[in-house]
Amino acid sequence: MRRTWGFLTVGLLFLATACSIEIEIPIRSQTTPTSSFKAATPTTPIPVSPATVTDACPFIAVGELAQIIGTSAEIRAQEQPADVEGTEKRYSCLYEDIHQSPDGAPRLHITVAPEIGAESVAAVDNTMKAFCREPITTVGGVGDKTAHCEQGKDFTRAIVVVGKRSNGQVRLALVDLAKNRADVYEAIAKLLAERL
């Protein structure tokens, strides 16, 4: 019995000592590595239709696009060279991320034409005929006319087109992106219709 009490006393002494000792474990710095892959344009979108369109990237902010298409990848928006000769002006934005090639990245194209002699509904119809395969899905109540479809040349891609008369011009937005759900196309279309 004495031996049992001896072991019990040593065990309790060990536990009491172990509970009163403080051990410091060094913690590594929790800083995240800085990424060199940052947005080339502001991440804040334009709030309403600008009087003059000068580029495409501000029409959809990178954070908005990432949330709509459901990606956690860091996206950067790169304004592409504009085509501003003649009466029509064309602006383009490439939304690329580090996980895909620029060929697979979403692209936004904004075309601006003087209202005289131009019709937004006809512009959407002509664009859809040129770039889509059937069926073409029309989205009601968004812009003057909005539609989306599977791209004619690449069945893995989709096209969303929004036409709207705004500030004395006919404005057409075309988004070329990887195929997704209809609600994704509609969310993109609604944003563009508000901002065209």
Side-chain angles (χ1 to χ4, degrees):
M1 189 72 150
R2 283 187 191 174
R3 186 178 273 176
T4 306
W5 280 107
F7 284 124
L8 185 58
T9 305
V10 170
L12 288 173
L13 183 60
F14 175 76
L15 284 174
T17 306
C19 290
S20 65
I21 296 175
E22 289 184 27
I23 300 174
E24 272 189 51
I25 300 173
I27 299 173
R28 273 195 234 173
S29 173
Q30 295 294 326
T31 60
T32 56
T34 58
S35 172
S36 61
F37 202 79
K38 297 202 186 238
T41 58
T43 56
T44 305
I46 56 176
V48 292
S49 302
T52 305
V53 176
T54 58
D55 47 14
C57 289
F59 280 87
I60 300 179
V62 293
E64 289 175 320
L65 184 63
Q67 183 177 11
I68 291 170
I69 64 176
T71 183
S72 60
E74 187 175 353
I75 298 174
R76 70 175 166 185
Q78 294 183 339
E79 191 70 31
Q80 304 298 297
D83 179 7
V84 291
E85 292 183 24
T87 58
E88 276 193 0
K89 296 174 172 49
R90 293 184 186 95
Y91 306 92
S92 296
C93 185
L94 173 67
Y95 295 90
E96 105 182 282
D97 71 51
I98 59 174
H99 302 296
Q100 66 184 176
S101 74
D103 294 337
R107 292 179 184 269
L108 168 63
H109 306 279
I110 305 285
T111 303
V112 179
E115 193 170 6
I116 299 168
E119 178 62 46
S120 59
V121 172
V124 171
D125 290 339
N126 293 336
T127 303
M128 299 308 274
K129 284 178 190 173
F131 295 105
C132 291
R133 68 176 67 191
E134 297 289 338
I136 295 172
T137 305
T138 303
V139 180
V142 179
D144 294 339
K145 182 163 187 180
T146 298
H148 60 84
C149 65
E150 190 175 282
Q151 193 185 78
K153 294 181 181 177
D154 184 353
F155 68 91
T156 65
R157 309 230 5 119
I159 302 245
V160 179
V161 180
V162 180
K164 183 179 175 184
R165 289 179 182 210
S166 180
N167 293 293
Q169 302 169 321
V170 170
R171 296 178 178 180
L172 184 78
L174 182 147
V175 179
D176 173 2
L177 72 161
K179 275 175 60 175
N180 215 309
R181 302 178 320 272
D183 63 307
V184 168
Y185 307 143
E186 291 172 14
I188 290 171
K190 287 175 184 172
L191 275 180
L192 289 170
E194 290 170 5
R195 296 172 184 167
L196 282 176

